Amino acid sequence: KTLQYFKENASEHEICCVHLVGSEETLKAHRDERGSNQNPSWMAGRATKARNFAKIVENYGRSIDIIVDTKTAAELAKEVQSFLGE
């Protein structure tokens, strides 16, 4: 469905994807902070799905991978705003 949407709307709308990427250490720290007990195979599947989605968007619009490991929320917001041209 997503691919069909992109095909039908890419000429009328700007399609953008911001793919936030963290190292395993950063992701583990965030999970530990939340007290998460997510299944490792589920997490790997979500990471693959997000990576593949970002690649698909590149065919119809713009996509950026932002490494989140050492950035503050304000820095991330600034980088996203810059990417979007705001």
Side-chain angles (χ1 to χ4, degrees):
K1 293 180 182 180
T2 302
L3 187 56
Q4 185 63 33
Y5 175 84
F6 288 165
K7 287 178 181 178
E8 293 172 358
N9 293 284
S11 64
E12 297 176 30
H13 304 285
E14 183 176 16
I15 298 171
C16 300
C17 174
V18 176
H19 181 217
L20 302 177
V21 181
S23 69
E24 187 54 42
E25 294 81 22
T26 297
L27 297 175
K28 182 180 181 328
H30 285 279
R31 286 192 303 271
D32 290 348
E33 191 175 296
R34 291 192 320 267
S36 175
N37 62 349
Q38 291 173 315
N39 180 294
S41 63
W42 181 87
M43 291 184 295
R46 297 298 94 190
T48 299
K49 189 169 189 167
R51 193 170 45 253
N52 290 342
F53 179 83
K55 287 180 185 177
I56 289 170
V57 170
E58 289 177 355
N59 294 319
Y60 299 96
R62 299 184 302 138
S63 179
I64 185 173
D65 291 344
I66 298 178
I67 308 300
V68 301
D69 293 344
T70 60
K71 295 186 173 126
T72 66
E75 291 169 328
L76 290 171
K78 187 174 181 179
E79 195 164 346
V80 169
Q81 288 173 331
S82 176
F83 170 70
L84 295 176
E86 296 179 3

